[in-house]
Amino acid sequence: VLQRRLASSPEAIFQSLRRRRLRLESELNEANIAQRGLRVAAAEPRTLDLGLDAEFDDDELSDEERETAEGVVADEATAAQTIAELQAEIGTLRRLEEMADAVRLSGKDSKWSELRELLINNPEMKDAQGHMRKLVIFTEHRDTLDYLTRQIGGLLGRPESIVNISGKMQRADRRKAQELFRNEASVSVLIATDAAGEGINLQRAHLMVNYDLPWNPNRLEQRFGRIHRIGQQEVCHLWNLLAEGTREGDVYLRLLEKLRVAGEALDGKIFDVLGTALEGRALRDLMIDAIRYGEQPEVRQRLLQSVDDAADAAKAKAAFNREGLATDGMDTSSIQHIREDMERANLRRLQPGYIEEFFVTSFAALGGNMVAREPGAWEITHVPARVRERATQLGTRMPVLVRYQRVTFRKEHRAPKVEFVCPGHALFDATMYATLEEGRDLLRQGAVLIDPLTADDRPYALVTLSHAIRDCDPNYNGGAGRVVSKRTQFVKIFPDGLVENAGAAPHVDLFIPTREEAQLADAMLEGDALASQLESKAIAYAVEHLVSQHRGEEESERHARLKATQSAVKKRLTVEIQHWSAREATLREQERAGKQPKMNADKAKQRCEELEARLENRLALLDLQMQFSSEMPVVESGAYVVPKVLLERLFAERRGELPPQRPSQEEIERIDKLAISAVLAAEHALGRQPREMPHNNPGYDIESFVLDAHGNPTGEIVFIEVKGKTVGVAEVTVSANQIRQSLNAPERFVLAIVPIEDGKALQPRYVRRPYRNNIDHTVQSMSLKVSELLAISKDPA
């Protein structure tokens, strides 16, 4: 440990020696006070508490665990067993500390000189305007991290341009440092230990320096993966600093050269297999041997040969083949269902226009400031405290910053330098919940909306409910269980008391009335029977129809997943239990034979019993997680919805005119049925597998599944909106929601026009890509000329 810190920086070795001296002096004082020897010669060696299992694997430790364990060893480990021996060790430490301090104060540090030269003179470090590009520097030690922070801060003249991430920091502080580095233009350097290599996205940068090299080459790849990842638009550069002429350096330089050669033969996959190719000995073992015995020529030769063998391309390739993790594959049916769900999700995704308008309006209302910059991009100059506080209350994964250099709401404008804000982003979620808190009373108060599409002239109430399913996990909500699924659901309530499911998103096709329409609707509402018992009717319907459906779907999906988890847990822990049971038996035999094994049999037995209890508790917990309870639905909002056809009739009556002639609801339903039957027949004739959707399905009427040559679904879906029109009708009306969905997946969407003549459906005509341009998100519906649609239509085949 001390050798590695010496190779890292003068500051790291000085601080380590100093802490060690102070710790041992404290121990010496305690021994003197007790007026007895620290330890008699025959006593057992003292065991340090590293806070780790006896069988720990160094490579599996987090940065914080590794840092803590190495700190305990460096500060406290000693072989001294008497006061005299401890005094002698402290005397040696004082001399070493003075030497380290002299080196530190001399300012002669070749590693820092190399980094300084890189920062000043390498052209990659500056952009075209001469500004410092964002740079990530990795070190192994916090003392070196602090040292580099001071040195670079002095070199740049701007200490505030540097942020740190280390294992001792709270997770929230690490995320804040990450967000500052990604979004603050003034922050150009991130100095980090491997805590920044653990699941953190640093893609905002494309330059990296390994000031210290880890003794596990896989961690090299992990570090580089923080910047070299999908979506990175710049060429990434990595510099490794390594001291030649050191025992550690000799081994690592040989390894890096061999990795370069082997990597070419393995398409860059050498990092995946190096651990298994080391013939059972990790690189850290080679490094330790190099430090301990590197002056011996035969040891040095053996170590270099081990490195050569480890990086041998043929051996590495064989190891790669042996260690493939993809032993279990998904069957064709699973892949097909996943693909179908992905296609539906893509079609129904919320358009960026909705998200952008909601955020811009709500953010301003909450006191935030943002300015439009480049096309599709905004600069947020101030995030109000109430939004940041709401993010803290929510416990969002990433912190919300005071300002953002650039944000966008559209995926096509997403880039490393532009923050993509969407549902799930901490800033968006905090803004949304803060807005909901302020507007919840208004939601409960309700609104008046207009339905432009229905031919039914009955007004109705549209009630929004939320419903949650909980499991019985006692570790959540004070034993009340965890919310495993929560849905927003909609019901329609008509004046005659009829209640029906309104579908997934009925509100998207409704719009705000004009002042005249609102006045007329208010007058209608005053004497309407809808005003009474809306909440109780909506809840009663949801309990009878929606809750059971929600619970059934969730149970089906979750039970299958948790059963698989149970099986895996049982298999893994049973293997461990059998291992420790056999280990106990072996240790018992050794003890009976008079041997002194490193671990006693009782310890192995205790480990076996702990694993048995763990298996029992884990299986019991999974059983509880498969038991569900349904919460009572909660009414979130309501709206009084007036059909457009009713308003047109009432306005016409006021003016003394005849109302517009429209087909009856029964006639519309008859025409729709004929049209859909004709399209279903056409799809069957094309060799696809069509399915009619419920009448309240938003956006399209038919899902048609593409089949392969053997008649099996491929997972591809054609989404078809059917418009049946009596011959001679000039226009068709399509909702804005249908248009937006079609633009989400234009290659999968078809508008089917079915002429109806003499009560019969004629041959359907398919219009592919019927809507070429995005529409403003304030538009509710559009009228299209039937003649123009037929002119660009084709036969289904």
Side-chain angles (χ1 to χ4, degrees), residues 27-185:
E27 193 165 333
L28 177 62
N29 290 335
E30 292 173 5
N32 283 327
I33 290 171
Q35 293 184 343
R36 58 182 175 80
L38 179 69
R39 197 174 288 114
V40 296
E44 285 289 319
R46 183 178 55 151
T47 301
L48 295 177
D49 182 11
L50 304 182
L52 304 170
D53 292 337
E55 302 290 321
F56 79 93
D57 182 349
D58 178 74
D59 290 341
E60 294 180 356
L61 299 183
S62 69
D63 179 66
E64 182 178 357
E65 291 170 332
R66 187 184 300 107
E67 215 170 79
T68 300
E70 289 188 355
V72 171
V73 171
D75 295 350
E76 300 182 30
T78 177
Q81 299 188 52
T82 65
I83 289 180
E85 289 177 358
L86 189 57
Q87 288 172 331
E89 182 170 353
I90 291 170
T92 302
L93 278 172
R94 285 199 184 98
R95 292 192 296 277
L96 290 170
E97 185 183 344
E98 290 170 1
M99 293 168 64
D101 196 28
V103 173
R104 185 174 69 115
L105 296 176
S106 72
K108 295 179 180 179
D109 181 356
S110 58
K111 271 179 88 173
W112 161 245
S113 297
E114 288 290 337
L115 179 58
R116 185 177 184 276
E117 178 71 15
L118 188 67
L119 295 174
I120 294 174
N121 295 322
N122 192 288
E124 293 293 343
M125 293 294 163
K126 303 284 179 62
D127 62 19
Q129 289 75 40
H131 299 136
M132 179 82 177
R133 285 192 170 119
K134 295 205 179 257
L135 169 69
V136 181
I137 301 175
F138 273 104
T139 177
E140 291 278 283
H141 311 289
R142 277 192 302 127
D143 291 325
T144 301
L145 181 148
D146 295 337
Y147 167 68
L148 290 176
T149 300
R150 293 193 301 270
Q151 296 288 87
I152 297 174
L155 177 67
L156 300 181
R158 293 183 297 109
E160 69 279 3
S161 68
I162 305 168
V163 291
N164 300 144
I165 294 179
S166 72
K168 287 296 183 182
M169 294 170 63
Q170 295 293 324
R171 192 170 294 275
D173 293 333
R174 296 185 209 176
R175 289 170 178 162
K176 183 176 181 180
Q178 174 191 341
E179 288 300 287
L180 286 170
F181 179 70
R182 290 173 57 187
N183 293 293
E184 281 283 0

Side-chain angles (χ1 to χ4, degrees), residues 394-423:
L394 287 171
T396 55
R397 198 178 69 85
M398 302 304 297
V400 171
L401 304 181
V402 177
R403 56 184 174 272
Y404 291 82
Q405 186 178 357
R406 288 292 184 276
V407 302
T408 186
F409 304 94
R410 302 174 185 274
K411 286 198 294 186
E412 60 267 26
H413 296 297
R414 183 171 50 184
K417 296 181 181 180
V418 182
E419 192 79 1
F420 180 44
V421 176
C422 60

Side-chain angles (χ1 to χ4, degrees), residues 203-218:
Q203 195 181 48
R204 179 70 168 80
H206 65 278
L207 308 177
M208 180 178 289
V209 172
N210 279 319
Y211 197 79
D212 299 318
L213 290 173
W215 281 3
N216 181 347
N218 293 315

